[in-house]
Amino acid sequence: MENQIEPSASNKPVALVTGANQGVGFQIAKALAENGYIVYLGSRNFSNGEKAAAEIGGTVHAIQLDVTQQSTISAAVERIGKESGRLDLLVNNAAISHAGKPGRTLEETMKSGKPSIASLDEIRAVWETNVFGVIAVTQATLPLLRKSAAARIVNVSSGLGSLTWIADPACWAREHFDVIYSASKTAVNAVTMAFAIELEGENIKVNAVSPGFTATALNNFQGTDTVEVGSREPIRVALETDGPTATFTGPDGPLPW
């Protein structure tokens, strides 16, 4: 049976974190729970979500959520509405780096993202999760967010999405800017700004945040930060109830759009 939210916890803030069964999303969910939140831990694979929620424990509840499937988004929103009545925080964390053939080396994956040869099918698949998924989940949860006294939306982006940084000839990541993953994060930044502008009058904060140079397969494990360290800024932004809106920050502070 599904865990039901206990009535005594109804005064706790409520959060939904997508793609939270591992990595940065898992760390965000864990930190929110430690700070008194009821957390809906979104996972495309429900079994993986249940394992992650059990590992954290407390007021963390697994919820089946594939951001590319509207039916699962609608079901998740309906469940949150019935159990908690509102949503105070949405963290759009779910993302994929590529959608090509499995087993490719990192070098092969990066090379395939070059704009002159990138597969349109792979671009569409990655953008479906990274961009359209963010829009779909945000649109679907807005009715619940509008019931909060201090609603926030946090979109997990990447420094690679900064056109200002990438345009600098001295940028070390310039040669890695591709139309599959990197450009999808630029689009996430644009989506963040669009929602921030529209929702500013409703006092709903919308911000983008980069985990920074975290050691993952995305950077051939050359990152200098662990997942725990890389999660610090996303966690800070997620927990900030009285901060500004329309910001893009990373571990070292503000990032250029």
Side-chain angles (χ1 to χ4, degrees):
M1 292 180 61
E2 297 288 352
N3 290 333
Q4 295 298 312
I5 304 302
E6 60 273 21
S8 61
S10 60
N11 62 330
K12 291 175 177 285
V14 183
L16 167 62
V17 185
T18 68
N21 59 286
Q22 62 182 352
V24 172
F26 177 85
Q27 295 298 325
I28 294 172
K30 182 179 179 182
L32 291 172
E34 291 171 349
N35 281 273
Y37 279 72
I38 292 171
V39 181
Y40 288 92
L41 186 152
S43 177
R44 185 171 54 180
N45 182 299
F46 186 60
S47 177
N48 291 342
E50 286 185 309
K51 292 175 184 175
E55 184 176 339
I56 299 173
T59 53
V60 180
H61 306 270
I63 193 164
Q64 205 273 320
L65 180 57
D66 181 339
V67 302
T68 69
Q69 299 296 323
Q70 190 63 45
S71 60
T72 73
I73 296 173
S74 299
V77 170
E78 182 179 2
R79 178 183 164 190
I80 295 170
K82 285 183 178 179
E83 294 182 354
S84 296
R86 70 176 194 285
L87 189 64
D88 300 291
L89 169 65
L90 167 64
V91 181
N92 284 307
N93 170 74
I96 57 176
S97 59
H98 65 87
K101 294 179 181 179
R104 293 183 300 175
T105 65
L106 179 66
E107 290 72 20
E108 289 172 335
T109 300
M110 291 172 58
K111 188 175 181 181
S112 70
K114 297 293 184 183
S116 59
I117 59 172
S119 159
L120 284 173
D121 287 340
E122 186 171 2
I123 295 170
R124 289 189 181 100
V126 171
W127 283 53
E128 194 67 50
T129 294
N130 295 10
V131 183
F132 300 122
V134 169
I135 298 172
V137 174
T138 302
Q139 289 181 342
T141 54
L142 270 175
L144 291 177
L145 287 163
R146 287 183 169 122
K147 293 182 180 181
S148 169
R152 288 110 59 219
I153 300 168
V154 177
N155 296 329
V156 178
S157 184
S158 168
L160 285 173
S162 169
L163 292 179
T164 302
W165 184 49
I166 291 295
D168 181 353
C171 172
W172 63 264
R174 199 165 192 250
E175 63 178 330
H176 303 307
F177 190 80
D178 71 316
V179 295
I180 298 177
Y181 176 79
S182 303
S184 79
K185 289 303 187 179
T186 302
V188 167
N189 286 353
V191 168
T192 300
M193 183 63 74
F195 272 110
I197 291 171
E198 180 185 1
L199 299 174
E200 190 169 17
E202 300 182 52
N203 195 34
I204 297 178
K205 312 289 181 61
V206 190
N207 297 294
V209 60
S210 168
F213 198 28
T214 307
T216 68
L218 291 178
N219 52 43
N220 205 20
F221 297 97
Q222 295 173 337
T224 55
D225 297 334
T226 62
V227 172
E228 289 78 9
V229 171
S231 302
R232 287 177 184 169
E233 180 62 8
I235 289 169
R236 183 194 70 78
V237 176
L239 289 171
E240 190 173 51
T241 57
D242 58 352
T245 190
T247 66
F248 179 29
T249 60
D252 298 321
L255 289 170
W257 295 100

